[in-house]
Amino acid sequence: MEVNYLYILGLMILILNLFITLAIIKRDDFEKPQKTAQLAIVWLIPVIAAIGIWLFLRSQDEEYKPSRGEFGGGPRDSSGVSSGD
C-alpha cells in the first residue's frame, strides 16, 4: 500500500481550515462582515491565513497583563494621592 503524502497534506490543510472556520463562527465579538471576510481569506489562502487568523484570535482572548515597569500600577495616581487606603 502506497502512502500518498499529497493527500495527507491536503487533509491536514482541510482540518486546519475547518478548525479555524469554527473558531471564527463561534466568536461573538466580530460583526458579520468581518467574519465573512476572515472566512474568505482562510479559504482563499489556506495555510498562511489560517495560522495568521488563529494567532489573531488567540491574541484577542488573552488577558491584558500590564507590565511591571516604573510607570503606573501603584497605589497612588498620577497626582501622588493615595487611592483611599
Side-chain angles (χ1 to χ4, degrees), residues 13-25:
I13 291 171
L14 180 67
I15 290 170
L16 176 66
N17 279 1
L18 289 173
F19 174 74
I20 298 302
T21 298
L22 291 175
I24 292 170
I25 290 172

Side-chain angles (χ1 to χ4, degrees), residues 6-7 10 14-15 20 22 25 34-35 38 41-42 47-48 50-51 58 66-68 71-73 76 79 81 83:
L6 193 58
Y7 289 133
L14 180 67
I15 290 170
I20 298 302
L22 291 175
I25 290 172
Q34 186 174 3
K35 285 183 181 182
Q38 287 180 351
I41 291 170
V42 165
V47 177
I48 297 169
I51 292 171
R58 204 175 98 187
S67 64
R68 296 194 176 228
F71 297 107
R76 299 180 184 270
S79 66
V81 177
S83 60

Side-chain angles (χ1 to χ4, degrees), residues 32-70:
K32 188 174 181 176
Q34 186 174 3
K35 285 183 181 182
T36 304
Q38 287 180 351
L39 289 172
I41 291 170
V42 165
W43 287 99
L44 292 175
I45 311 170
V47 177
I48 297 169
I51 292 171
I53 290 178
W54 175 69
L55 290 172
F56 171 73
L57 292 175
R58 204 175 98 187
S59 73
Q60 296 296 314
D61 289 338
E62 289 181 0
E63 227 179 286
Y64 173 72
K65 297 177 184 173
S67 64
R68 296 194 176 228
E70 60 186 72

